[in-house]
Amino acid sequence: MSNAPVKIIMGSRSDWPIMKLATQALEELGVAFETAVVSAHRTPGRLYDFCKNAEDTGIQVIIAGAGGSAHLAGMAAAMTWIPVIAVPIPSRYLKGMDSLMSMVQMPKGVAVATQAIGEAGAFNSGLLASQMLAISDEALRTRLKAWRQKQTDNVAEEVE
Ligand code: RP5
């Protein structure tokens, strides 16, 4: 059984420069995670096996980053009750609008928590996963509140 409550999956190694931002948020908040390339299109068997075993390996939140037709998050959500957070990766030609529209338009009955396109969405996926875990983890809740306060304190009121 894995000790990491968060699993970050992505459709391709080319997604890693964006998805690394998700790991940054988790590291800042002291949340353990694992990463893997799992493609809905190129490795469907790996996706199936991962989803079917996710609960038994102790995963509590899945973060899924993908670009283009971006079925990864929705397919994962279809195969497990574990919450899935989606990160639309900026694609080469449509700049991630395709990824966003695909991920956000889940049919009624299967929920995915879709974030913003790109770096902000990837970082926020780590934040949101931490917030989910903080519901039942008081120490993490304390770290989250401190993190938010520090962010607030670092916003200067002066323009120059
Ligand atoms: C998706 O296709 C991946 O998530 C990636 O964003 C996109 C392009 O993949 P590569 O051709 O760069 O491997 O499945």
Side-chain angles (χ1 to χ4, degrees):
M1 177 155 162
S2 159
N3 289 322
V6 179
K7 182 86 173 198
I8 301 172
I9 57 174
M10 60 207 82
S12 168
R13 287 177 93 171
S14 67
D15 298 330
W16 177 236
I18 298 291
M19 293 310 293
K20 204 166 169 26
L21 273 290
T23 70
Q24 186 187 326
L26 294 165
E27 280 169 356
E28 288 182 20
L29 290 160
V31 175
F33 61 85
E34 289 179 350
T35 58
V37 173
V38 180
S39 168
H41 307 96
R42 293 170 179 157
T43 66
R46 194 184 300 173
L47 175 61
Y48 179 85
D49 290 343
F50 162 68
C51 291
K52 287 296 154 200
N53 295 323
E55 186 173 354
D56 292 339
T57 53
I59 294 166
Q60 296 179 56
V61 185
I62 296 167
I63 296 174
S69 56
H71 294 116
L72 185 61
M75 287 303 295
M79 287 189 275
T80 175
W81 63 269
I82 296 169
V84 176
I85 304 172
V87 180
I89 299 294
S91 52
R92 186 168 173 196
Y93 294 108
L94 299 178
K95 310 300 177 201
M97 282 300 288
D98 43 355
S99 326
L100 172 67
M101 294 304 170
S102 174
M103 286 172 152
V104 83
Q105 284 293 347
M106 286 301 293
K108 181 182 175 190
V110 180
V112 164
T114 304
Q115 302 298 295
I117 299 169
E119 280 96 344
F123 189 87
N124 284 347
S125 73
L127 274 186
L128 184 57
S130 304
Q131 288 174 251
M132 289 172 169
L133 296 171
I135 292 169
S136 57
D137 182 337
E138 196 178 343
L140 175 55
R141 203 149 64 231
T142 301
R143 295 199 295 280
L144 254 169
K145 287 178 182 175
W147 188 94
R148 290 280 288 263
Q149 189 58 51
K150 191 172 162 200
Q151 174 171 252
T152 299
D153 294 345
N154 283 337
V155 180
E157 196 167 346
E158 300 77 28
V159 175
E160 283 194 283

